[in-house]
Amino acid sequence: MASAPAPAPAPAVGPGPVLAGLDEILAPATVFYLDLHRNPELSGEEARTARQLAARLEQDGYRVTAGVGGHGVVGVLRNGEGPVVMLRTELDALPLREDTGLPYASRSAVMHACGHDLHTAAAAGAATLLARAADRWQGTLVVVGQPAEETLSGARAMLADGLYDRFGRPDVVLAQHTAPLPAGMVAHGHGYGPMMGGSIGFEVVIHGRGGHAGTPHLVVDPVVAAAASVLRLQTVVSRETAPAEQVVLTVGSLHAGSRGNVVPDRATMGITVRGLSEAALDRAGAAVERILRAECAASGCEREPDIVTVSRSPVLSSDPAAAAAVRQAHLELYGPERVASWPSSMVTEDFPLFGDAGLAVHGRPGIPLVYWMFGSVGPRQWARAAGGSAAEKLAALPANHSPEFAPDVRTALPAGISAMTAAALTHLGAREHRPDTP
């Protein structure tokens, strides 16, 4: 059983005076958000988004480097001796056609359906406030715009490109994510366990022997082998996983053939395994490979299947002490009625790679991570959602990755900026404020 963290220290710098400038920056921050939302880019193609973020950071006095691990952006603001605090946001969007009816909706087949545009605008807004209030804190602020989060490859690419060696090893890394909660609320992980699951993604090719549909005895049908594999894979959760252990296995894609009278020579599958512990992921991943090979052998395939691990993301857990400090700052800023607990979920992030799970990449001791959710649902949308209880409303609202996902920027963005600003100030060093000092 995990032990409780030490009592959270008081924030090094109170957010009140810094957040006094929030109203002044909201208009440009909102314009920035609308531009990002209208012009989304897929994972690995975030060139324009990266340029926009870089320009914002440069305007605020950050030393900016582009092209880190792809289209990654790193802005550094050094402000005397003190902690190195890293704020991370994501740049990429999803291959969905937007169906929100918003006047600033994307007009392409790409959409910001997971809130990355809101995250980026909030991080940029916090970066502006902190730069303007540099006389109240000391240390180094690092703002990272990460590409390719949706493919779970961007964090690893930035670390492999020397993120920490080139820009300094952070003392804490902070990130937040939109959630279907009323805007103005934040939610932290429940207890001290995992906040999000880890995942393994597989791409599989099953090799058969194609031929005429009228001579099935002369072929090895990869469709049959794939279908048998799909059914058998369901037993990984139902028969190989303890009832109290949370594991999810999804065959998200299966493609084979082009005509009904031709037996194809191959079938391809996309498979994802998710779990709340690394041990569970390892066991489920091994079972996937074992079942695929066995079903291909049982079907008489002349070659073993090609099984490629295309992504692996660790379980996401916040550092107990660092997260407790941020939660306390949010409680003092918003009040207890606007700070909720967030249960573990099987949603996956590559954010853990920036902390302990990134050891294999950057070869350094573990780094504390803090991750929280912030609400994106406006009051009208919340009132219109079906159901009387909060749980019923949450189930009725468009979820992340939905074509109808539409954060209420007027209420969600100010809270996203203030939540990130308060979290950063919690971990930055305090500077004695003298009004006559520039």
Side-chain angles (χ1 to χ4, degrees), residues 162-394:
L163 176 65
Y164 292 163
D165 293 329
R166 295 165 62 184
F167 306 101
R169 175 184 181 275
D171 295 294
V172 66
V173 185
L174 310 174
Q176 59 184 355
H177 203 292
T178 54
L181 296 169
M185 289 190 68
V186 296
H188 290 262
H190 181 68
Y192 312 114
M195 190 168 182
M196 290 185 178
S199 72
I200 308 175
F202 298 98
E203 286 186 358
V204 180
V205 179
I206 293 177
H207 300 281
R209 185 171 64 246
H212 199 289
T215 57
H217 59 295
L218 300 179
V219 305
V220 176
D221 194 337
V223 178
V224 174
S229 297
V230 170
L231 294 177
R232 181 74 180 186
L233 284 169
Q234 308 311 307
T235 66
V236 173
V237 175
S238 67
R239 289 296 177 269
E240 297 193 37
T241 301
E245 190 172 47
Q246 296 185 50
V247 172
V248 174
L249 189 153
T250 302
V251 180
S253 68
L254 198 168
H255 301 281
S258 58
R259 300 190 63 178
N261 64 346
V262 177
V263 176
D265 61 0
R266 64 174 53 195
T268 62
M269 302 168 67
I271 303 169
T272 302
V273 176
R274 299 170 187 260
L276 292 181
S277 73
E278 297 301 319
L281 280 175
D282 289 339
R283 287 196 302 272
V288 167
E289 296 199 31
R290 186 193 75 237
I291 287 170
L292 288 168
R293 297 186 196 284
E295 289 294 347
C296 287
S299 295
C301 296
E302 296 170 354
R303 289 176 54 187
E304 285 201 341
D306 297 330
I307 305 172
V308 178
T309 300
V310 293
S311 66
R312 176 150 185 167
S313 181
V315 176
L316 170 55
S317 296
S318 290
D319 177 80
V326 172
R327 183 186 179 99
Q328 182 61 35
H330 288 164
L331 282 167
E332 294 175 3
L333 179 62
Y334 300 125
E337 66 279 359
R338 290 172 58 188
V339 179
S341 293
W342 189 260
S344 301
S345 76
M346 287 298 183
V347 177
T348 303
E349 259 266 28
D350 64 358
F351 180 64
L353 290 169
F354 291 113
D356 290 339
L359 287 173
V361 178
H362 56 77
R364 300 285 181 86
I367 297 168
L369 305 176
V370 184
Y371 192 94
W372 66 92
M373 317 300 286
F374 72 106
S376 61
V377 182
R380 291 183 180 177
Q381 188 180 20
W382 183 263
R384 289 197 305 264
S389 69
E392 290 172 333
K393 287 182 176 292
L394 289 173

